[in-house]
Amino acid sequence: MSDVVAASAGQRIYLDKQTPDAYRAFVRAAQTVRTAADTAGLDRILVELVNLRVSQLNGCAYCLDTHTRAALAAGETPRRLGVLAAWRDTALFTPRERAALALAEATTHPAEADAQERAYAEAREVLDDAELSAVVWGAIAINAFNRVSILSKHPVRPS
């Protein structure tokens, strides 16, 4: 680790604490997204799978910890959580979950236009408009929280 990197690592601020009004606005937006997911009929496990997959792609340890616990509390199995990073290579996920995961990945990496088109087309086959919108908004929300936590270096504390 270079001296500059080592020095800056100790100077990180918690963005949520430094600018609490902006963070509270994000939390309110996330609550609206959660309500939209509930209204659309998306179950909590599917929502948490989206949160986890996006957090895996972004490498956000804090959000991975938070949403792993939430997924388990919602009834998700450790087995499925263990293979989530390779969801395409297993039959453990339903067509709806697979469509939501592909859409979440496409939302996280929007510059990959071909993958985005495929994910959207697959999602249209198994998700209605409200469900599709809720998945995309959920992926957008967790992407934002990932960035806050990563740039703030929010720690994962022992239980």
Side-chain angles (χ1 to χ4, degrees):
M1 181 182 301
S2 75
D3 292 338
V4 172
V5 172
S8 72
Q11 298 174 5
R12 294 291 177 111
I13 58 170
Y14 289 165
L15 296 170
D16 48 330
K17 305 291 187 229
Q18 179 63 37
T19 315
D21 290 342
Y23 184 74
R24 281 192 293 274
F26 267 58
V27 169
R28 285 190 304 275
Q31 289 167 338
T32 300
V33 169
R34 184 174 184 151
T35 299
D38 292 344
T39 301
L42 295 180
D43 68 33
R44 194 83 235 137
I45 289 175
L46 186 145
V47 170
E48 292 304 337
L49 290 173
V50 166
N51 288 335
L52 283 165
R53 185 63 189 130
V54 169
S55 297
Q56 286 175 338
L57 294 171
N58 289 325
C60 183
Y62 184 85
C63 293
L64 283 166
D65 178 58
T66 298
H67 293 287
T68 295
R69 287 184 282 115
L72 290 168
E76 184 54 271
T77 67
R79 181 179 185 207
R80 286 182 8 129
L81 292 178
V83 298
L84 180 59
W87 64 267
R88 285 183 175 86
D89 299 326
T90 178
L92 294 178
F93 299 94
T94 69
R96 285 172 49 83
E97 290 167 337
R98 297 172 75 77
L101 291 167
L103 197 55
E105 290 180 359
T107 303
T108 302
H109 298 296
E112 296 172 12
D114 289 342
Q116 186 183 98
E117 289 304 318
R118 283 191 307 276
Y120 201 89
E122 180 182 333
R124 295 298 291 159
E125 292 179 15
V126 295
L127 300 173
D128 66 26
D129 290 353
E131 293 167 330
L132 189 145
S133 180
V135 168
V136 171
W137 277 111
I140 290 168
I142 193 62
N143 268 291
F145 281 105
N146 285 171
R147 279 143 182 81
V148 170
S149 289
I150 290 166
L151 292 170
S152 297
K153 294 232 180 251
H154 287 154
V156 175
R157 290 181 168 67
S159 297

